[in-house]
Amino acid sequence: MVGLTEGDTTRRLFADLVSSNYFDTMGVRLFRGRVFTAEEERPGSAMPVVIVSYSFWKRHGADTAILGRTLRLNGRLFTVVGITPEGFTGTTTLVSAELYVPLGVYEAMVNDFDNHGRSLASRDNHALIAVGRLRSGVTLAAADAQLAGVAAAMQKAWPVENKDQTLLVRPLARLNVSTQPSSDDGLAVPAILLLSMAAVVLLIASLNVANMMLARGAARRKEIAIRLALGGGRRDIVQQLLAESLMLALMGGVAGLFIAWWSTGVLVSSMARLAPIDLVYSATPDLRVLAATFAFCLLSTVLFGFMPAWNLSRPDLVTDLKDGESKGSGGKRLFSRGNVLVMGQICLSLTLLTAAGLFTRSALRAANMFTGFRVANSIVVELDPSLAGYDRIRGRDTYRALLARLRALPGVESASLAATVPFGMTSNGRSIRRAGSDPADKGNLVACQSNIVEESYFQTMGIELLRGRTFRASEGPTRSAVLLDRLAAQRLWPNGDALGKHVQLSEDEKGKPREMEVVGIVANVQEHVVGRGEQPHVYFPFGEEYQSDMHIHLKVGSVSGMLDTVRREIRAFDAVLPVLALKTMQQHLEGSADLWIMRTAATLFSIFGGVALLLATVGLYGIRSYTVARRTREIGIRMALGASAGDTLRLVVREGAALTAIGGAAGLVLSFLVGKVLASMLYQVSGSDPVVFLAVPAVLCAVSLVACYVPARRAARVDPMVALRHE
């Protein structure tokens, strides 16, 4: 992350530190300009040049004269020497760096989360990701064997820095920037969910089309019988019916492509608001998408259009020429083909609606969760003096002086500092253990979320102090102190009191173990709602540890008008100090990735579930209307023999209710199984939540009854004399 200063504002963006042969290795040529030279990548050369991404260039006017101009990054001027080709995202996909700088400026570009004080030339700095191409014919196993020899030679030459280091070759992960070999398996779960939802809706739509083709085919029996009697071939009949089915599928596929193109753009735009990242994505369908769409249309045509077409091409000519459409309605049979298709639609619709209900309940729980810290009347400001070129000493002094100034503002009740914010884009972790415990036993380690805080942090954030005390202004390197939350204290000392005890941790910079005294225990704080349970926390004093990127927390009487007041005060204090974010705590929570995931999942499932319900309702309405139309003569006879309009109404509604009940029962069983799968993705909601499992079937039943009632009313108004003459 680097700071780009444009005018009087500084924004943070992603930049990649790359070698001079990076673009050649990736197999791309720059759109304009040149790549980096070997001299520019030499460690410590500090030659300030930069290559901008194509999207960055487009947003800045798409002027090729940008080559040779300067950009101010982290307080230094960099000369633009190149522009990447359109659509290039480097080693990642979707997420792209906006700038590329050479390895020689590493020390000037890295931040608190990257180098921990080590230079690029330091052999214990493992911050780089090696990306390469295997020669033709070389397998991963062969490459690993060769690199094992390289690793052994490096360990022999540098036994301390390269001890137990292993070199592995793995396929490049496109959704990860870790220096450890990894994969994109984390994408499998959301991808499977999305594809499953789409497949279910496609299946429901296909069942609807199959039902329609059965009904339409039954109505055309006489026509088909006449064509066959006049010499028409079965092959011609099947081809015509399949062509009609394919046309319907293709029209639906084209409409689906337009909806997908629009909705994908909306989804990507909502993702872009979560973090200062450049999303490079084109929703325009390419040949692969078009081919896949056509393949699905063809598959649905074959699976759901062939059997109706084949059955209609094998008529009983004598009967069909006499009776036309009266044969084979199957209207009286509960498990006729048409009814079974409707039951399947109801079953799948109920499953999708149940999943939508579970995620909606989860999103509501997450939006109203107890975070453990104050949300109302709180403001958070993110600053990073290093982006303006301030070193550690000046940065620490700047924060102290700015805090004093903000505390003096009218309406500010308290102010404090913290390295990270719950539900923020970044978080820090540190493993700690009881002092004196066996360091070789990994079971003694407790992985904690760590935070560097100023002494009034807990008061400002409203985090309860359970025992002991908070930090003092005198706390520093000569007096090591930490605070634990209740969960961390319980895990370290399950049967004892952590207060006054000592914990041990390894410093990142020197790697030497250090003991620190536990001076206080505070209440637990919620950090995430997706994918993780409650996590322990350890807090370090700002006087002892430093991070340039910090957050100022303000407790105010009212947030109304305070954001502009705080911004003006910071500008008056230091006009070049980069303000990276300024928002209320409520706005911060609403914009967090965790809550976005919950809301997006609920929205997607609701949309898919709503579409599925609509299709199932149309299918149920269609089959009941068709059945009523086919049984008009029967209904007329019943009414002529004394059946009332109410009897006819109840007959049709009862048959529709039976379809809904059977399909709904199957859907409940399937929903229960799906809920078990989704349980790990929900927040404080069971996969078999009783509210959802009662409300969703009730909604489905109500909609289904309406779909049955309309054709039932039509049947109840049949004139017996007209019905008896109906063919």
Side-chain angles (χ1 to χ4, degrees):
M1 300 294 288
V2 299
L4 172 66
T5 302
E6 297 172 309
D8 58 353
T9 62
T10 298
R11 70 181 180 94
R12 191 167 54 183
L13 47 80
F14 275 108
D16 269 353
L17 285 147
V18 300
S19 60
S20 58
N21 67 340
Y22 173 77
F23 296 99
D24 290 336
T25 302
M26 299 301 294
V28 300
R29 296 183 60 184
L30 295 187
F31 175 69
R32 291 285 190 277
R34 65 171 178 85
V35 298
F36 299 128
T37 65
E39 179 63 21
E40 290 166 346
E41 77 166 10
R42 181 174 53 83
S45 62
M47 300 178 69
V49 291
V50 61
I51 294 174
V52 302
S53 69
Y54 187 89
S55 56
F56 180 94
W57 172 67
K58 290 285 285 186
R59 284 195 300 271
H60 287 73
D63 185 1
T64 54
I66 193 175
L67 298 178
R69 293 179 184 172
T70 58
L71 301 176
R72 185 172 292 278
L73 305 176
N74 288 10
R76 299 181 58 190
L77 292 176
F78 282 68
T79 302
V80 179
V81 297
I83 305 170
T84 66
E86 184 177 6
F88 178 71
T89 58
T91 60
T92 57
T93 186
L94 183 62
V95 178
S96 171
E98 294 188 60
L99 304 174
Y100 298 85
V101 292
L103 294 177
V105 297
Y106 176 85
E107 284 76 12
M109 291 291 101
V110 293
N111 56 32
D112 303 303
F113 303 100
D114 292 317
N115 73 334
H116 306 294
R118 300 181 181 91
S119 68
L120 182 61
S122 176
R123 287 206 162 268
D124 60 350
N125 185 352
H126 306 128
L128 297 182
I129 303 172
V131 179
R133 293 179 179 272
L134 287 179
R135 284 199 184 103
S136 178
V138 178
T139 64
L140 291 179
D144 283 343
Q146 294 181 40
L147 288 177
V150 174
M154 292 175 64
Q155 181 172 342
K156 184 176 180 180
W158 296 280
V160 177
E161 295 86 348
N162 288 90
K163 182 180 180 181
D164 299 328
Q165 291 293 316
T166 303
L167 301 178
L168 299 173
V169 177
R170 293 293 181 269
L172 180 65
R174 301 302 308 278
L175 295 172
N176 196 301
V177 292
S178 171
T179 56
Q180 299 292 331
S182 56
S183 67
D184 295 328
D185 292 343
L187 186 63
V189 173
I192 290 173
L193 277 178
L194 286 174
L195 289 175
S196 298
M197 287 190 294
V200 169
V201 173
L202 176 62
L203 180 58
I204 294 173
S206 299
L207 293 175
N208 232 335
V209 172
N211 225 345
M212 182 189 71
M213 295 302 293
L214 284 173
R216 189 163 180 266
R220 297 174 64 185
R221 281 185 177 276
K222 191 168 188 176
E223 171 204 336
I224 293 171
I226 292 173
R227 293 176 60 182
L228 289 172
L230 294 176
R234 288 180 58 193
R235 181 177 178 180
D236 296 332
I237 299 296
V238 172
Q239 285 180 345
Q240 177 186 341
L241 295 175
L242 284 179
E244 293 174 358
S245 299
L246 182 60
M247 286 301 299
L248 287 174
L250 289 177
M251 287 189 290
V254 171
L257 280 176
F258 280 106
I259 295 173
W261 172 77
W262 172 81
S263 59
T264 303
V266 173
L267 183 62
V268 172
S269 298
S270 69
M271 291 173 59
R273 293 193 292 267
L274 297 177
I277 55 179
D278 187 22
L279 296 179
V280 179
Y281 180 81
S282 174
T284 304
D286 58 13
L287 288 177
R288 293 171 299 177
V289 175
L290 293 175
T293 302
F294 179 77
F296 279 115
C297 292
L298 188 61
L299 179 64
S300 62
T301 300
V302 172
L303 291 180
F304 300 98
F306 179 76
M307 285 307 298
W310 181 256
N311 288 334
L312 287 173
S313 69
R314 304 171 60 189
D316 183 339
L317 291 181
V318 176
T319 303
D320 286 347
L321 288 173
K322 283 183 177 181
D323 300 330
E325 61 182 64
S326 62
K327 177 188 173 184
S329 68
K332 298 180 182 180
R333 292 189 295 113
L334 180 60
F335 291 98
S336 65
R337 281 175 298 187
N339 287 348
V340 169
L341 293 178
V342 171
M343 293 176 193
Q345 294 176 57
I346 293 173
C347 170
L348 296 174
S349 301
L350 180 64
T351 303
L352 274 184
L353 285 173
T354 302
L358 291 174
F359 273 105
T360 300
R361 287 266 292 167
S362 182
L364 292 174
R365 286 283 181 90
N368 297 285
M369 66 184 162
F370 175 71
T371 60
F373 56 86
R374 178 181 292 108
V375 176
N377 295 330
S378 294
I379 293 175
V380 59
V381 188
E382 184 179 5
L383 305 168
D384 192 345
S386 70
L387 302 184
Y390 293 5
D391 59 15
R392 175 179 292 218
I393 296 176
R394 187 177 179 186
R396 190 186 294 276
D397 293 341
T398 297
Y399 278 126
R400 293 288 190 191
L402 180 58
L403 270 182
R405 186 153 177 166
L406 292 177
R407 284 169 179 153
L409 279 177
V412 174
E413 299 177 10
S414 63
S416 185
L417 276 173
T420 62
V421 185
F423 297 95
M425 187 180 67
T426 59
S427 60
N428 295 331
R430 191 75 65 87
S431 292
I432 60 176
R433 60 185 178 86
R434 298 192 309 272
S437 61
D438 183 7
D441 186 359
K442 299 298 183 182
N444 293 326
L445 284 175
V446 176
C448 299
Q449 294 276 7
S450 68
N451 205 351
I452 303 169
V453 301
E454 191 258 354
E455 51 267 19
S456 57
Y457 172 78
F458 301 100
Q459 174 194 350
T460 305
M461 291 289 288
I463 300 174
E464 182 183 2
L465 176 67
L466 303 178
R467 295 194 303 281
R469 62 173 177 84
T470 58
F471 295 127
R472 296 168 180 164
S474 59
E475 233 99 45
T478 59
R479 183 167 182 173
S480 298
V482 296
L483 270 82
L484 304 177
D485 69 356
R486 177 164 44 198
L487 184 58
Q490 289 173 348
R491 291 189 181 180
L492 285 166
W493 285 275
N495 302 313
D497 188 359
L499 190 63
K501 302 293 196 327
H502 287 74
V503 296
Q504 193 174 74
L505 63 149
S506 294
E507 284 294 295
D508 288 330
E509 295 184 13
K510 299 179 181 179
K512 296 181 180 179
R514 185 162 63 116
E515 288 192 10
M516 308 183 78
E517 181 185 357
V518 180
V519 299
I521 310 295
V522 296
N524 296 336
V525 168
Q526 187 80 22
E527 283 268 6
H528 302 280
V529 296
V530 177
R532 312 178 198 181
E534 203 171 22
Q535 292 183 299
H537 289 72
V538 57
Y539 299 92
F540 302 95
F542 180 66
E544 181 173 334
E545 298 201 7
Y546 176 76
Q547 179 177 298
S548 62
D549 181 271
M550 297 288 286
H551 298 80
I552 294 180
H553 292 276
L554 301 175
K555 177 186 176 184
V556 297
S558 172
V559 297
S560 178
M562 284 300 296
L563 294 180
D564 291 335
T565 301
V566 171
R567 187 181 297 276
R568 286 195 301 268
E569 191 66 19
I570 296 175
R571 185 65 51 82
F573 170 76
D574 189 337
V576 301
L577 186 63
V579 179
L580 302 176
L582 174 59
K583 62 186 79 172
T584 66
M585 184 60 77
Q586 186 63 47
Q587 291 171 336
H588 168 76
L589 285 179
E590 290 174 355
S592 70
D594 282 49
L595 296 185
W596 179 87
I597 291 173
M598 283 292 180
R599 289 194 301 266
T600 302
T603 302
L604 288 176
F605 269 101
S606 297
I607 292 173
F608 279 101
V611 172
L613 177 62
L614 176 63
L615 290 174
T617 303
V618 170
L620 180 60
Y621 171 80
I623 194 66
R624 299 319 303 157
S625 295
Y626 172 70
T627 300
V628 168
R630 298 296 306 278
R631 296 172 65 184
T632 299
R633 177 176 291 183
E634 174 197 338
I635 293 172
I637 294 174
R638 286 175 178 269
M639 298 184 74
L641 293 176
S644 66
D647 294 332
T648 304
L649 182 71
R650 285 190 292 273
L651 171 68
V652 177
V653 171
R654 185 170 59 250
E655 292 176 351
L659 299 182
T660 302
I662 296 173
L668 281 175
V669 174
L670 185 58
S671 298
F672 180 79
L673 298 177
V674 171
K676 292 295 184 183
V677 176
L678 299 178
S680 61
M681 309 174 199
L682 305 174
Y683 177 71
Q684 293 186 354
V685 173
S686 167
S688 54
D689 184 70
V691 174
V692 174
F693 274 74
L694 288 174
V696 171
V699 171
L700 182 65
C701 288
V703 173
S704 299
L705 286 176
V706 172
C708 294
Y709 179 76
V710 175
R713 285 278 296 174
R714 190 182 306 120
R717 294 176 179 176
V718 167
D719 186 338
M721 297 304 297
V722 175
L724 290 174
R725 292 194 298 268
H726 181 78
E727 291 186 3

